C-alpha cells in the first residue's frame, strides 16, 4: 500500500499494513531549510519554494503526507490583514486588526487569486503533480474562530463573545464562507485532505463556548467540504473532545497536553487521532530511546497517525522527526482490531 493510501485509510481508521505517519501542521526547522536550500520567509510567498520545502516532509523526513501552508496567515492576508511574513528564524505574524466587531466584513471577490491564497494553491498543485501518486497532499484552512482572532484581534473578538454573542455569530457566519471557499479551491488544486485549524484552546474558549459557538459550525464544515478534515486545536482539549466527536469530523490532531490514552478514550472508536507527540520533550530534545518509547506509547494508546502535536519549533533537530517517522513505519499492525 502506498504512503498516500496508508495516510488516508488511517484518517478514517480503516486497516493499514503499518501505522501512518505525518502531520497537519508545519514540519519546518532551521536545519530542514538548510538541507533543502529554501528558507522562510520566501517559502511563504513563492509557490515553487513552498512546494520544495513541503516535499521534504516526505523525501527527507519520511512522513506519509506533505503540507505546504506553514503559517496561519494565508487566507487572512488575502482578506486584507497586513501580515509581516517574518524572517528565516521567525514565523509570520500580524499586529493590526482589520475590523471592529459589528463592522460589515467584506470578502474580496478576488480572494482566491490574491497572493495569500494563490501561492498556497499553486504549491498544492505542484505537490499533487510531483508527489500525488505516492503521498497524501494535505492543505490547510482556518475556521471562523481563528479568522475572528485575525481580523478583529484576539481581545476584541473574545470580549464580544461575552458582550455581544450575536454579533460574534454573525461575523463567524461570514468568515466560515472564507473557510469553505479556500477549502474548495485547495481540493480543486489537488489536496487529498485538509487541516482545519481553529484555535479554540481551553484558555481562550471554554467548553461551553465551544459548544455554543463552534460545534455546529464544525459539523457544517465537515458536511460542506468534500474531503476528509483534520481538526487541529492546540492545548488541553480533553474537555471538548467529546463534542468534537459528535461533529462527524473524521480526524483530530491533538496536543500532548492530553495524554494519548485519555484522548482515545474520549474520542471513542470512530474519530481518528493524529499527533500527540510533544514538540518540546520529544521532537526538540528527545533522546533516541525517548522517541522510540513515544512511538510505542502512542501506538499502544490507539493514535492513528504518528507525528508532532503542532507546528514544530524552528530550532528542533529535523533528525528527530525522521527517527519518529521511521520508528512508526517499522511497526506492523494487524488490520482494524485496535
Ligand atoms: Zn497547534
Amino acid at each position: 500500500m502506498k504512503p498516500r493510501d496508508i495516510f488516508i485509510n488511517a484518517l478514517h481508521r480503516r486497516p493499514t499494513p503499518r501505522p501512518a505517519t505525518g502531520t497537519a501542521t508545519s514540519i519546518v526547522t532551521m536545519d530542514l531549510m538548510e538541507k533543502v536550500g529554501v528558507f522562510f520567509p520566501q517559502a511563504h510567498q513563492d509557490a515553487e519554494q513552498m512546494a520544495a520545502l513541503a516535499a521534504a516532509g516526505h523525501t527527507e523526513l519520511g512522513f506519509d503526507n506533505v503540507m505546504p501552508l506553514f503559517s496561519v496567515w494565508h487566507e487572512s492576508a488575502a482578506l486584507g490583514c497586513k501580515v509581516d511574513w517574518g524572517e528565516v528564524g521567525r514565523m509570520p505574524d500580524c499586529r493590526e486588526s482589520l475590523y471592529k466587531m459589528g463592522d460589515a466584513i467584506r470578502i474580496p471577490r478576488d480572494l482566491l487569486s490574491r497572493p495569500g491564497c494563490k501561492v498556497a494553491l499553486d504549491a498544492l498543485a505542484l505537490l499533487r503533480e510531483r508527489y500525488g501518486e505516492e503521498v497524501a497532499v494535505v492543505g490547510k484552512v482556518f475556521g471562523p474562530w481563528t479568522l475572528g482572532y485575525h481580523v478583529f484581534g484576539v481581545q476584541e473578538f473574545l470580549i464580544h463573545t461575552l458582550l455581544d454573542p450575536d454579533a460574534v455569530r454573525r461575523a463567524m457566519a461570514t468568515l466560515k464562507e472564507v473557510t469553505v471557499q479556500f477549502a474548495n479551491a485547495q481540493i480543486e488544486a489537488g489536496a487529498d485532505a485538509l487541516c482545519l485549524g481553529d484555535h479554540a484552546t481551553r484558555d481562550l474558549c471554554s467548553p461551553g463556548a465551544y459548544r455554543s459557538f463552534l460545534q455546529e459550525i464544525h459539523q457544517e464544515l465537515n458536511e460542506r467540504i468534500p474531503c476528509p478534515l483534520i481538526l487541529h486545536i492546540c492545548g488541553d482539549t480533553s474537555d471538548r473532545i467529546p463534542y468534537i466527536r459528535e461533529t462527524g469530523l473524521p480526524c483530530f490532531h491533538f496536543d500532548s497536553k492530553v495524554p494519548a490514552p485519555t484522548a482515545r478514550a474520549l474520542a471513542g472508536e470512530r474519530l481518528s487521532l493524529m499527533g500527540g507527540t510533544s514538540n518540546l520533550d520529544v521532537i526538540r530534545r528527545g533522546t533516541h530511546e525517548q522517541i522510540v518509547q513515544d512511538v510505542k506509547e502512542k501506538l499502544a494508546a490507539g493514535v492513528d497517525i504518528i507525528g508532532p502535536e503542532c507546528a514544530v519549533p524552528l530550532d528542533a533537530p529535523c533528525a528527530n522527526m525522521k527517527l519518529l517517522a521511521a520508528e512508526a513505519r517499522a511497526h506492523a499492525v494487524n488490520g482494524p482490531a485496535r
Side-chain angles (χ1 to χ4, degrees), residues 25 199 201 232-235 253-255 279 309-311:
T25 47
H199 291 97
T201 304
H232 174 86
I233 304 177
C234 315
H253 185 201
F254 74 107
D255 188 305
N279 272 334
E309 60 188 336
C310 189

Side-chain angles (χ1 to χ4, degrees), residues 6 8 35 56-57 60 68 76 86 98 110 115 132 143 152 157 159 201 209 218 221 237 249 260 293 325 335:
I6 291 175
I8 291 169
K35 263 196 172 112
E60 287 287 341
S76 296
L98 202 54
D110 62 346
F152 296 109
F157 183 80
I159 203 155
T201 304
H218 287 167
L221 292 174
T237 48
L249 285 160
Q293 184 58 26

Side-chain angles (χ1 to χ4, degrees), residues 84-327:
D84 162 10
W85 290 100
E87 292 166 32
V88 61
R90 183 166 61 82
M91 277 289 195
D93 198 5
C94 178
R95 309 227 155 179
E96 278 173 55
S97 54
L98 202 54
Y99 294 113
K100 287 255 168 259
M101 189 60 71
D103 290 352
I105 299 170
R106 204 183 64 85
I107 303 178
R109 240 187 249 163
D110 62 346
L111 180 85
L112 300 171
S113 54
R114 291 182 170 200
C117 291
K118 177 85 165 58
V119 168
L121 294 171
D122 289 349
L124 285 166
L126 289 171
L127 287 165
R128 180 59 181 245
E129 186 189 313
R130 292 170 190 168
Y131 303 95
E133 283 293 302
E134 194 61 24
V135 303
V137 175
V138 176
K140 183 163 78 175
V141 293
F142 285 90
W145 190 268
T146 295
L147 294 178
Y149 288 176
H150 289 180
V151 301
F152 296 109
V154 175
Q155 208 181 347
E156 169 84 358
F157 183 80
L158 287 179
I159 203 155
H160 283 90
T161 59
L162 303 172
L163 295 180
D164 194 351
D166 287 340
V168 170
R169 284 201 177 83
R170 281 194 297 275
M172 287 174 69
T174 306
L175 290 170
K176 83 178 173 216
E177 298 307 317
V178 173
T179 311
V180 172
Q181 271 193 43
F182 196 29
N184 284 331
Q186 291 189 36
I187 296 166
E188 211 167 291
D192 294 301
L194 295 173
C195 173
L196 168 64
D198 225 358
H199 291 97
T201 304
R202 189 182 212 156
D203 21 351
L204 301 177
C205 175
S206 69
Y210 179 81
R211 245 189 133 169
S212 115
F213 288 100
L214 273 168
Q215 191 182 22
E216 238 174 75
I217 289 181
H218 287 167
Q219 187 176 345
E220 180 190 331
L221 292 174
N222 185 51
E223 282 162 14
R224 285 176 65 192
I225 298 171
C227 82
L229 295 180
I230 304 155
L231 179 66
H232 174 86
I233 304 177
C234 315
D236 182 353
T237 48
S238 47
D239 61 10
R240 63 209 60 198
I241 294 176
Y243 301 141
I244 293 166
R245 169 183 173 175
E246 291 171 4
T247 60
L249 285 160
C251 182
F252 182 51
H253 185 201
F254 74 107
D255 188 305
S256 61
K257 291 198 181 71
V258 190
T262 309
R264 175 44 70 213
L266 293 168
E269 283 305 303
R270 206 200 55 83
L271 180 65
S272 71
L273 292 171
M274 170 190 286
T277 289
S278 167
N279 272 334
L280 222 54
D281 297 335
V282 180
I283 302 294
R284 192 151 168 235
R285 56 175 185 222
T287 61
H288 188 110
E289 290 68 34
Q290 284 168 324
I291 294 167
V292 170
Q293 184 58 26
D294 185 78
V295 171
K296 230 186 251 169
E297 285 169 16
K298 295 296 176 289
L299 290 174
V303 174
D304 302 279
I305 301 177
I306 301 295
E309 60 188 336
C310 189
V312 298
L314 288 165
D315 61 355
C318 69
N320 281 354
M321 278 185 278
K322 192 170 180 169
L323 174 61
L324 186 87
E327 200 48 43

